[in-house]
Amino acid sequence: MEGVGGGRVYPFLVGEVKTASRRGLVACSAMSDAGPQPSTPAPGGPSFRYNATLAGEIEARWQDRWDVEGTFYTPNPTGPLSEGFDAVAGAKKLFVMDMFPYPSGAGLHVGHPLGFIATDVFARFKRMTGHNVLHTMGFDAYGLPAEQHAVATGQHPRINTENNVATYRRQLRRLGLGHDPRRAVSTTDGDFLEFTQRIFLRIFNAWFDPEATNPLGGPGAARHIDRLIASFAEGTRPTPDGRPWSSLTEREQRTLVDSHRLVYLAEVPVNWCPGLGTIVANEEVTADGRSDRGNFPVFKRNMTQWLMRITAYAERLIDDLDLVDWPEPVRLMQRNWIGRSLGARVSFASTAGDIDVFTTRPDTLFGATFMVLAPEHGMVSALTTDSWPTGTDPRWTNGHDTPASAIGAYQSAAASKSDVDRQVETKTKTGVFTGSFAVNPVNGRDVPIFIADYVLTGYGTGAIMAVPSGDQRDFEFARQFGLPIQATIRPPDAWFAEHQSEPSLDCATWPMAYVGDGPAVNGTNDSLSLDGRGKAEAIAAMNAWLEANGRGHGSVQTKLRDWLFSRQRYWGEPFPIVHDEIGPIALPESMLPVDLPDTDQFAPRSFDPEDAQSEPERPLDRLVDWKNATLDLGNGKGMCTYLRETNVMPQWAGSCTYYLRYIDPTLVEAITTPENERYWMGERGVDLYVGGVEHAVLHLLYSRFWHKVLFDLGIVGTPEPFARLFNQGYIQAYAYTDPRGMYVEASEVEERNGEFFHHGERVNREYGKIGKSLKNMVSPDEICEAYGADTLRLHEMSMGPLEQSKPWDTRAVSGAHRLLQRIWRVVVDEDSGTTRVTDSSPTNEDLVVLHRTIHAVTAAMDDLRVNTPIARITELTNHLTSTYPNGAPRGLAEPLVLLVAPYAPHLAEELWSRLGNRQSLIRSPFPVANPAYLVADTVDVPVQVNGKVRSVLTVATGLDGPSLEALARADEKVASHLMDKTVRKAVVIPGKLVNFVVS
RNA sequence: GCGGGUGUGGCGAAAUUGGCAGACGCGCCAGGUUUAGGUCCUGGUGUCGAAAGACGUGCAGGUUCGAUUCCUGUCACCCGCACCA
């Protein structure tokens, strides 16, 4: 596709470059500097034409009025925001949300508001159809860019953030979005911080009890940690070593309890970058294992981090996807991310103890001829022998004299490799022998134990049983290292034929591993025989055997890992946690919020870039007075000295439950007011959540997880936070690179004969996201300046289906502007400025057009098909302006104004007021289509001969088939095509079509 | 490699879901208004063809009276994940 070639391109126009001295040149490079030209009329033009100046004046006036009158204040059932609720108590509630933005320093570009405008159009339509609509906008204002800006400039991130938020608020207000400003929260607000920390504490003070029944009736639920402690104290739950709870030391008790919490400390593999002093994400690590920023080495190593036990909810996070109305691709992505697979755990005995593996194919255990551990696996050092066993294959040693040296070298090589590098698919597998063997439990054979980086520490147990005949990676590894390959399944002859080889059970002749189904072979020991059985049956039999012999059991494995929740940064929510000499202690909620302490040193401490063993020092570590806190935690110990937790929360924390904050933005000392929460969340949660698909997994999974914990704890009443999700597409734009590959300012590029030039230099055109980095930024401000916010809104909605990505083209905006000009002229005489609607009655034809438009607009709204209604409104407008060039009947003008109101609210308010209405039209009833006008008297029926349209008949609606066929045969054009031919079949669908099949 | 998505005029797109392909808009062309350019208004505009007509929804097949729509294969592009056992 991408057939945008050869054409004209935003933001330049094709054609010769005219002199810049003339005014209003659009087709010239002058617009590059000035942006789109305002549609200001030349002196002498109509004084009351709808143009940028008039639109700007109207928009500012109505925005002020909406603010003053609190037009978009949405009442709660109870509490401080409940004024006016009685008036809407009978209405249906509707909670419409956008994914709130991170306020970046660059401000909004025209792509950002696409979803915001769509939800606003939807919300306004719903208000006009009698709903009590909650719609507002918040800011996800903690985050790395603000911190990096602070590091670079020395300016506190709060200042930078507040400036950015102010810019966003101004830009969003200019768009006329109908948000309740009282609810427009920022995650960095003191109250919001307290809210986030309070939820954290509830999660911290909870554990997942697999025995409990959750509110949906299923197994497993979060419970307050006190109930765990009580069950230990009562003896209903045994301690790990069986001693009574009361005889455990405080340290033992706390360690035991902490190990059950939903938030816990653990050693996890991370990308440690000493040069930056922080842990970096995979995507921040370059292919050669260095940091994106600064180009420092990055080391993979284990480090103690805070984790959230999201894996406890894996089953429910998959199952409850059935409860939500979400795009299927997103649900699929979540299922794949969680990655539930059925299989078995199997224990292999070794000199260092049992090695547990997870396998999805326990039926192939007889073919497990070696084992592979991830290089980081905890048992590697215990398995590494002092010397190579006699007769060790030289390929297994990597040329080292001792296993220790070979293993050490391999481990450090793997650690210095980035994940990206490690995951590059290569033909040659690498690995090294540990010197140890394990026992295959099912046949008693000794199998050598290797380490190799194709086994990942993060999935399963970090160790695998290798079945080279049934797994391609194991197969390649076995070939590489000369390991035995034994068939466990007889592949069908067709498989051999497909790979040009002879059927055989001797795997030496196999071209590759066989991963399909088939009868088991070589699968017999003293107490088990799988031979001849199919996959499912063999798995069941093997799982039963493992269980009976204490060597394993059937098991479910997920790819999902627990959520790494700590960041070694400054600009984030501090943990409401302190530490004593034993471990972490939660602060009581009465001590919230724990404010972020002030400092002017925002960067974490950096280290010698090569010092892999250095430990991170966080910005908050430096604030010694803050870190050392003497507090009375109310636990009976009185004033004690503690160390505050100095990690901060990840940016996701603030976005997990912000919808609850929208509901009760002023609430303190509680998470929700139950009556408000039940009202707005209803049975199924937020009614509509609109945002980009880039959040399909992480944000939406974390948010669902927190919500489910709160659900189990009785704080919220719905199992899922978001009933309906809609992914809007991206608006993209062209970008240009010079011969060195550097981006050049897109607004300075000219097109000549299909080629592109920047200051005379030939440049290359690319297509991508709008933004500073591609130097193709277009801000909504400049479009508002040139045309007005209503035009921008209308244009963005008309660009195409909301869910589709599409390119920005500033020139195309004028179409929306012209439509608004025509709508304006329907009501207002642009010379005199007077209202010019008439009291004459609309004709029947007028009403047919009107009511079809109403029907089309109404029918499209619920599905957020926001683009096609504009085409129908355009048709109605064009009908009115051509039929009534001097003013349309009021009975047509008024509904037209109401129809366009969700899209162009300022213009609609202005016209509505000029039509004599005192009240804002925000809650005026949306026009309702009269079915009588939707059915026409006559209908056009195409007549085909052999599937080709030869004529179109206009016939009475409801004309029966035989009459229709007779009319069609009688039609001159049709008859000429039927001449000399035999009609073999006539397909007649009354009201639709006639098709004659002839030969 | 796996998973998901998208391919329709010069461009953004529409097609009531199997029934007139290209609504509506941008751009372009012509005309009008205007001192002039722009704005604004009117008309035209899928391709080939003088016309009749033929062709046309990435490509190749199939099902059907009839396919942008359903099926099979294939190509291109985009997004996500990736040695996941």
Side-chain angles (χ1 to χ4, degrees), chain A residues 768-822:
Chain A
K769 290 184 177 176
I770 300 179
K772 262 185 171 173
S773 57
L774 300 193
K775 294 196 178 176
N776 58 358
M777 184 85 176
V778 185
S779 93
D781 297 347
E782 56 189 287
I783 305 301
C784 288
E785 186 64 26
Y787 296 102
D790 281 335
T791 296
L792 176 62
R793 292 170 59 108
L794 191 70
H795 174 69
E796 292 214 358
M797 293 300 94
S798 71
M799 285 174 75
L802 187 60
E803 66 274 19
Q804 215 164 85
S805 290
K806 46 233 158 187
W808 179 259
D809 177 3
T810 295
R811 288 175 314 168
V813 178
S814 61
H817 192 62
R818 287 203 272 263
L819 172 60
L820 294 183
Q821 283 181 323
R822 293 201 292 280

Side-chain angles (χ1 to χ4, degrees), chain A residues 99 333 652 691-699 727-728 730 769:
Chain A
M99 289 186 187
M333 284 164 78
W652 305 111
V693 73
E694 75 268 23
H695 294 301
V697 178
L698 295 181
H699 160 60
N727 293 124
Q728 96 275 8
Y730 301 105
K769 290 184 177 176

Side-chain angles (χ1 to χ4, degrees), chain A residues 736-740 744 749-750 752-765:
Chain A
Y736 302 87
T737 50
D738 67 16
R740 294 163 301 155
V744 300
V749 173
E750 300 162 24
R752 289 179 224 139
N753 305 321
E755 298 188 338
F756 304 94
F757 297 88
H758 180 250
H759 298 322
E761 184 178 48
R762 176 89 187 277
V763 291
N764 189 35
R765 188 173 74 174

Side-chain angles (χ1 to χ4, degrees), chain A residues 91-114:
Chain A
K92 265 182 95 172
K93 72 92 186 181
L94 191 84
F95 191 175
V96 183
M97 252 180 50
D98 299 279
M99 289 186 187
F100 66 171
Y102 174 77
S104 82
L108 291 176
H109 63 66
V110 287
H112 286 118
L114 181 70

Side-chain angles (χ1 to χ4, degrees), chain A residues 594-885:
Chain A
V594 179
D595 287 318
L596 192 57
D598 226 342
T599 179
D600 55 2
Q601 300 292 310
F602 315 111
R605 180 180 157 204
S606 55
F607 297 86
D608 174 357
E610 304 293 338
D611 181 6
Q613 292 314 306
S614 49
E615 287 294 323
E617 182 192 280
R618 299 159 280 270
L620 298 186
D621 282 322
R622 283 192 288 265
L623 302 165
V624 177
D625 290 346
W626 179 82
K627 187 178 171 183
N628 292 287
T630 304
L631 304 166
D632 181 351
L633 299 182
N635 54 5
K637 293 188 175 178
M639 293 296 272
C640 297
T641 304
Y642 302 94
L643 284 178
R644 288 190 190 271
E645 171 64 42
T646 54
N647 280 294
V648 297
M649 300 187 199
Q651 198 180 350
W652 305 111
S655 60
C656 269
T657 42
Y658 67 106
Y659 49 95
L660 296 178
R661 203 61 203 158
Y662 283 169
I663 292 173
D664 264 309
T666 60
L667 192 62
V668 286
E669 294 173 355
I671 295 167
T672 64
T673 307
E675 196 179 344
N676 292 335
E677 188 274 329
R678 297 296 187 273
Y679 175 77
W680 285 114
M681 295 298 279
E683 295 294 313
R684 303 183 55 222
V686 175
D687 297 277
L688 177 65
Y689 193 27
V690 174
V693 73
E694 75 268 23
H695 294 301
V697 178
L698 295 181
H699 160 60
L700 287 169
L701 206 58
Y702 296 151
S703 189
R704 294 179 63 219
F705 163 50
W706 276 30
H707 190 90
K708 285 182 183 304
V709 176
L710 297 180
F711 180 54
D712 288 352
L713 297 177
I715 297 164
V716 298
T718 63
E720 285 286 329
F722 310 115
R724 181 180 175 199
L725 176 73
F726 191 100
N727 293 124
Q728 96 275 8
Y730 301 105
I731 295 181
Q732 297 178 297
Y734 292 108
Y736 302 87
T737 50
D738 67 16
R740 294 163 301 155
M742 304 299 286
Y743 285 101
V744 300
E745 193 56 53
S747 59
E748 295 166 2
V749 173
E750 300 162 24
E751 178 178 353
R752 289 179 224 139
N753 305 321
E755 298 188 338
F756 304 94
F757 297 88
H758 180 250
H759 298 322
E761 184 178 48
R762 176 89 187 277
V763 291
N764 189 35
R765 188 173 74 174
E766 294 176 9
Y767 180 62
K769 290 184 177 176
I770 300 179
K772 262 185 171 173
S773 57
L774 300 193
K775 294 196 178 176
N776 58 358
M777 184 85 176
V778 185
S779 93
D781 297 347
E782 56 189 287
I783 305 301
C784 288
E785 186 64 26
Y787 296 102
D790 281 335
T791 296
L792 176 62
R793 292 170 59 108
L794 191 70
H795 174 69
E796 292 214 358
M797 293 300 94
S798 71
M799 285 174 75
L802 187 60
E803 66 274 19
Q804 215 164 85
S805 290
K806 46 233 158 187
W808 179 259
D809 177 3
T810 295
R811 288 175 314 168
V813 178
S814 61
H817 192 62
R818 287 203 272 263
L819 172 60
L820 294 183
Q821 283 181 323
R822 293 201 292 280
I823 293 175
W824 174 260
R825 272 199 299 274
V826 168
V827 177
V828 179
D829 182 298
E830 58 181 16
D831 288 315
S832 67
T834 55
T835 305
R836 60 175 191 172
V837 293
T838 69
D839 291 323
S840 57
S841 297
T843 64
N844 189 66
E845 189 200 346
D846 294 339
L847 293 172
V848 167
V849 176
L850 173 66
H851 285 271
R852 286 190 174 171
T853 307
I854 296 169
H855 176 73
V857 173
T858 309
M861 274 305 167
D862 274 336
D863 297 335
L864 286 170
R865 286 183 284 122
V866 291
N867 53 328
T868 47
I870 296 171
R872 301 288 87 78
I873 292 171
T874 307
E875 286 170 332
L876 173 63
T877 305
N878 292 348
H879 173 80
L880 294 185
T881 50
S882 62
T883 313
Y884 302 101

